[in-house]
Amino acid sequence: MKLFLILGAIHAMLAVMLGAFGAHALEAKLNARNMLNVYQTGVQYHMYHALALLVVGVLLGKFPASTLLTGAGWSFFIGILLFSGSLYALSTTGMKFFGPITPLGGVAFIVGWILLIIAVVKA
């Protein structure tokens, strides 16, 4: 329970920090390469799924033995790393290598939501 609350809070904080960093320090650099929208998408999904981690942490307080909730939490965490992380890397480096990683993170997000739905239905 505490792990996902901590991970959620850390990633919510990081999403805010990265969003501010992008808006202020990277705006000229990313606009020049038309990558600011890519970066902002990474920040948005980062925050959404940081909040999802917090929800999972709270739910694990009520249902501590739920492997479905634990799986959802790890899926959201992996999704943040792969989806948002690859968009941050793509937008700041321009290296196309990171593009194919993004959909893997999207799949992890989807799996996390499916596991969360199943866990709630079974609760």
Side-chain angles (χ1 to χ4, degrees), residues 39-113:
Y39 186 88
Q40 289 174 333
T41 298
V43 171
Q44 284 178 318
Y45 279 80
H46 194 157
M47 180 57 84
Y48 299 153
H49 292 88
L51 296 173
L53 282 169
L54 292 171
V55 168
V56 167
V58 169
L59 289 173
L60 278 169
K62 290 183 99 50
F63 308 102
S66 175
T67 57
L68 290 167
L69 286 174
T70 302
W74 285 117
S75 293
F76 292 144
F77 178 69
I78 291 165
I80 289 170
L81 295 179
L82 295 177
F83 185 90
S84 295
S86 67
L87 291 181
Y88 296 148
L90 174 66
S91 65
T92 58
T93 68
M95 295 175 62
K96 303 288 185 205
F97 164 81
F98 294 107
I101 297 170
T102 308
L104 298 174
V107 169
F109 286 152
I110 292 166
V111 168
W113 288 112

